[in-house]
Amino acid sequence: MKFTLLIAMMLAAGTAPAQEAEAGKEVDTVQVNALRDPDFKTYRAFVAGLDEFDSKHALAPASALRFLLRPSAADASIEGVTIRIAGNETSIGVPLAADGTFAMPRNQAALDEDAEIILNRKKGSFRWRPDVHTPEVPANARRLGDLRLECEVRWAVDRQDLPFVKRTLITTLGGPCHTARVHVIQLAPRALAGYRMVAGERTVTAPAGAVGPDGMTYVVPLHDASWPDDALVEFEFAGQK
């Protein structure tokens, strides 16, 4: 049986924009919601993400790892939101920047205490994702290696929340960042009409269905080794002339 695994990781909402078919055969679809409690993660899970970033830093060697906190509802605001690492004896405030980004510090005592990450907001009101940006990438583009590294960090932090069977299946396929059968949803900076992949003289327009129906999500070929990490995903915004 062939599966297309549509991973709505962290901030993604709705159904993935493209379904895979082979030789005219129907392909079963498994919808995996990787984050059930997006504003409530263990500190140990975030440290797994920090470790993965260090391990895979060659994907985006000029970048630093931050995380992005965004409201789940359009009328919510990050104003006044606080983030705290809380253990039996440990309480560490995590500064939240005005743009919603934060850096998760390493602290051995918090790790030893199995500390939790606490927000001063109702559970489910905020979602988070890794935020990896190589300097000097144009504002209308994302670097593919940055997206690949974000994916690796997201998977490292989030995989323990998946049911055992789904986690095992995805792992068997090589993980969400290394197979065409997993569609990792990306969030667009604003509504897209489409995008193109660019690497040197090679330019390929995104296939039909690579951008979600509302233009706010998209899927890129993270798994495709023919595209180098320095390849750019160049956006065509809706209404752009």
PDB file of all heavy atoms in Angstrom, residues 13-29:
ATOM      1  N   ALA A  13      -2.557  24.754   8.545  1.00  0.00           N
ATOM      2  CA  ALA A  13      -3.963  24.496   8.795  1.00  0.00           C
ATOM      3  C   ALA A  13      -4.597  24.000   7.516  1.00  0.00           C
ATOM      4  O   ALA A  13      -4.214  24.357   6.414  1.00  0.00           O
ATOM      5  CB  ALA A  13      -4.672  25.777   9.254  1.00  0.00           C
ATOM      6  N   GLY A  14      -5.600  23.143   7.655  1.00  0.00           N
ATOM      7  CA  GLY A  14      -6.308  22.642   6.482  1.00  0.00           C
ATOM      8  C   GLY A  14      -5.618  21.461   5.869  1.00  0.00           C
ATOM      9  O   GLY A  14      -4.722  20.865   6.424  1.00  0.00           O
ATOM     10  N   THR A  15      -6.045  21.102   4.666  1.00  0.00           N
ATOM     11  CA  THR A  15      -5.532  19.937   3.966  1.00  0.00           C
ATOM     12  C   THR A  15      -4.356  20.328   3.098  1.00  0.00           C
ATOM     13  O   THR A  15      -4.324  21.403   2.523  1.00  0.00           O
ATOM     14  CB  THR A  15      -6.640  19.336   3.082  1.00  0.00           C
ATOM     15  OG1 THR A  15      -7.744  19.041   3.922  1.00  0.00           O
ATOM     16  CG2 THR A  15      -6.180  18.069   2.403  1.00  0.00           C
ATOM     17  N   ALA A  16      -3.384  19.455   2.982  1.00  0.00           N
ATOM     18  CA  ALA A  16      -2.216  19.735   2.151  1.00  0.00           C
ATOM     19  C   ALA A  16      -2.646  19.961   0.717  1.00  0.00           C
ATOM     20  O   ALA A  16      -3.589  19.347   0.234  1.00  0.00           O
ATOM     21  CB  ALA A  16      -1.237  18.567   2.225  1.00  0.00           C
ATOM     22  N   PRO A  17      -1.957  20.849  -0.024  1.00  0.00           N
ATOM     23  CA  PRO A  17      -2.446  21.290  -1.319  1.00  0.00           C
ATOM     24  C   PRO A  17      -2.235  20.318  -2.448  1.00  0.00           C
ATOM     25  O   PRO A  17      -2.742  20.559  -3.530  1.00  0.00           O
ATOM     26  CB  PRO A  17      -1.643  22.575  -1.561  1.00  0.00           C
ATOM     27  CG  PRO A  17      -0.388  22.368  -0.796  1.00  0.00           C
ATOM     28  CD  PRO A  17      -0.796  21.591   0.422  1.00  0.00           C
ATOM     29  N   ALA A  18      -1.464  19.268  -2.280  1.00  0.00           N
ATOM     30  CA  ALA A  18      -1.225  18.375  -3.402  1.00  0.00           C
ATOM     31  C   ALA A  18      -1.279  16.945  -2.939  1.00  0.00           C
ATOM     32  O   ALA A  18      -0.753  16.600  -1.910  1.00  0.00           O
ATOM     33  CB  ALA A  18       0.136  18.668  -4.022  1.00  0.00           C
ATOM     34  N   GLN A  19      -1.932  16.089  -3.702  1.00  0.00           N
ATOM     35  CA  GLN A  19      -1.939  14.675  -3.424  1.00  0.00           C
ATOM     36  C   GLN A  19      -1.211  13.966  -4.535  1.00  0.00           C
ATOM     37  O   GLN A  19      -1.283  14.350  -5.686  1.00  0.00           O
ATOM     38  CB  GLN A  19      -3.367  14.139  -3.306  1.00  0.00           C
ATOM     39  CG  GLN A  19      -4.090  14.672  -2.091  1.00  0.00           C
ATOM     40  CD  GLN A  19      -5.403  13.951  -1.887  1.00  0.00           C
ATOM     41  OE1 GLN A  19      -5.744  13.065  -2.648  1.00  0.00           O
ATOM     42  NE2 GLN A  19      -6.127  14.347  -0.879  1.00  0.00           N
ATOM     43  N   GLU A  20      -0.495  12.904  -4.143  1.00  0.00           N
ATOM     44  CA  GLU A  20       0.371  12.215  -5.077  1.00  0.00           C
ATOM     45  C   GLU A  20      -0.366  11.034  -5.680  1.00  0.00           C
ATOM     46  O   GLU A  20      -1.093  10.320  -5.022  1.00  0.00           O
ATOM     47  CB  GLU A  20       1.610  11.726  -4.315  1.00  0.00           C
ATOM     48  CG  GLU A  20       2.640  11.070  -5.180  1.00  0.00           C
ATOM     49  CD  GLU A  20       3.812  10.630  -4.326  1.00  0.00           C
ATOM     50  OE1 GLU A  20       3.747  10.805  -3.112  1.00  0.00           O
ATOM     51  OE2 GLU A  20       4.771  10.092  -4.892  1.00  0.00           O
ATOM     52  N   ALA A  21      -0.177  10.796  -6.982  1.00  0.00           N
ATOM     53  CA  ALA A  21      -0.734   9.622  -7.639  1.00  0.00           C
ATOM     54  C   ALA A  21       0.333   9.011  -8.510  1.00  0.00           C
ATOM     55  O   ALA A  21       1.186   9.713  -9.044  1.00  0.00           O
ATOM     56  CB  ALA A  21      -1.951  10.001  -8.483  1.00  0.00           C
ATOM     57  N   GLU A  22       0.297   7.719  -8.655  1.00  0.00           N
ATOM     58  CA  GLU A  22       1.290   7.021  -9.440  1.00  0.00           C
ATOM     59  C   GLU A  22       0.591   6.131 -10.453  1.00  0.00           C
ATOM     60  O   GLU A  22      -0.242   5.307 -10.106  1.00  0.00           O
ATOM     61  CB  GLU A  22       2.156   6.158  -8.510  1.00  0.00           C
ATOM     62  CG  GLU A  22       3.578   6.632  -8.423  1.00  0.00           C
ATOM     63  CD  GLU A  22       4.379   5.709  -7.515  1.00  0.00           C
ATOM     64  OE1 GLU A  22       4.081   4.517  -7.425  1.00  0.00           O
ATOM     65  OE2 GLU A  22       5.312   6.233  -6.909  1.00  0.00           O
ATOM     66  N   ALA A  23       0.952   6.279 -11.733  1.00  0.00           N
ATOM     67  CA  ALA A  23       0.449   5.418 -12.797  1.00  0.00           C
ATOM     68  C   ALA A  23      -1.071   5.317 -12.787  1.00  0.00           C
ATOM     69  O   ALA A  23      -1.645   4.276 -13.039  1.00  0.00           O
ATOM     70  CB  ALA A  23       1.061   4.015 -12.667  1.00  0.00           C
ATOM     71  N   GLY A  24      -1.725   6.428 -12.437  1.00  0.00           N
ATOM     72  CA  GLY A  24      -3.174   6.454 -12.458  1.00  0.00           C
ATOM     73  C   GLY A  24      -3.835   5.727 -11.307  1.00  0.00           C
ATOM     74  O   GLY A  24      -5.058   5.631 -11.240  1.00  0.00           O
ATOM     75  N   LYS A  25      -3.065   5.236 -10.357  1.00  0.00           N
ATOM     76  CA  LYS A  25      -3.640   4.509  -9.233  1.00  0.00           C
ATOM     77  C   LYS A  25      -4.028   5.472  -8.138  1.00  0.00           C
ATOM     78  O   LYS A  25      -3.412   6.508  -7.934  1.00  0.00           O
ATOM     79  CB  LYS A  25      -2.617   3.507  -8.681  1.00  0.00           C
ATOM     80  CG  LYS A  25      -2.204   2.437  -9.678  1.00  0.00           C
ATOM     81  CD  LYS A  25      -1.159   1.520  -9.053  1.00  0.00           C
ATOM     82  CE  LYS A  25      -0.691   0.459 -10.044  1.00  0.00           C
ATOM     83  NZ  LYS A  25       0.363  -0.401  -9.463  1.00  0.00           N
ATOM     84  N   GLU A  26      -5.061   5.106  -7.395  1.00  0.00           N
ATOM     85  CA  GLU A  26      -5.443   5.908  -6.256  1.00  0.00           C
ATOM     86  C   GLU A  26      -4.413   5.710  -5.151  1.00  0.00           C
ATOM     87  O   GLU A  26      -3.864   4.634  -4.964  1.00  0.00           O
ATOM     88  CB  GLU A  26      -6.826   5.508  -5.739  1.00  0.00           C
ATOM     89  CG  GLU A  26      -7.948   5.852  -6.705  1.00  0.00           C
ATOM     90  CD  GLU A  26      -9.301   5.548  -6.116  1.00  0.00           C
ATOM     91  OE1 GLU A  26      -9.336   5.083  -4.959  1.00  0.00           O
ATOM     92  OE2 GLU A  26     -10.297   5.784  -6.802  1.00  0.00           O
ATOM     93  N   VAL A  27      -4.151   6.786  -4.409  1.00  0.00           N
ATOM     94  CA  VAL A  27      -3.183   6.730  -3.325  1.00  0.00           C
ATOM     95  C   VAL A  27      -3.899   7.041  -2.022  1.00  0.00           C
ATOM     96  O   VAL A  27      -4.563   8.056  -1.906  1.00  0.00           O
ATOM     97  CB  VAL A  27      -2.052   7.760  -3.554  1.00  0.00           C
ATOM     98  CG1 VAL A  27      -1.038   7.690  -2.429  1.00  0.00           C
ATOM     99  CG2 VAL A  27      -1.388   7.511  -4.896  1.00  0.00           C
ATOM    100  N   ASP A  28      -3.796   6.144  -1.065  1.00  0.00           N
ATOM    101  CA  ASP A  28      -4.398   6.388   0.234  1.00  0.00           C
ATOM    102  C   ASP A  28      -3.709   7.568   0.903  1.00  0.00           C
ATOM    103  O   ASP A  28      -2.515   7.773   0.766  1.00  0.00           O
ATOM    104  CB  ASP A  28      -4.266   5.154   1.129  1.00  0.00           C
ATOM    105  CG  ASP A  28      -5.142   4.013   0.633  1.00  0.00           C
ATOM    106  OD1 ASP A  28      -6.123   4.309  -0.064  1.00  0.00           O
ATOM    107  OD2 ASP A  28      -4.824   2.859   0.936  1.00  0.00           O
ATOM    108  N   THR A  29      -4.474   8.346   1.652  1.00  0.00           N
ATOM    109  CA  THR A  29      -3.956   9.527   2.319  1.00  0.00           C
ATOM    110  C   THR A  29      -4.116   9.381   3.818  1.00  0.00           C
ATOM    111  O   THR A  29      -5.174   8.996   4.297  1.00  0.00           O
ATOM    112  CB  THR A  29      -4.712  10.790   1.848  1.00  0.00           C
ATOM    113  OG1 THR A  29      -4.501  10.943   0.455  1.00  0.00           O
ATOM    114  CG2 THR A  29      -4.203  12.022   2.580  1.00  0.00           C
TER     115      THR A  29
END
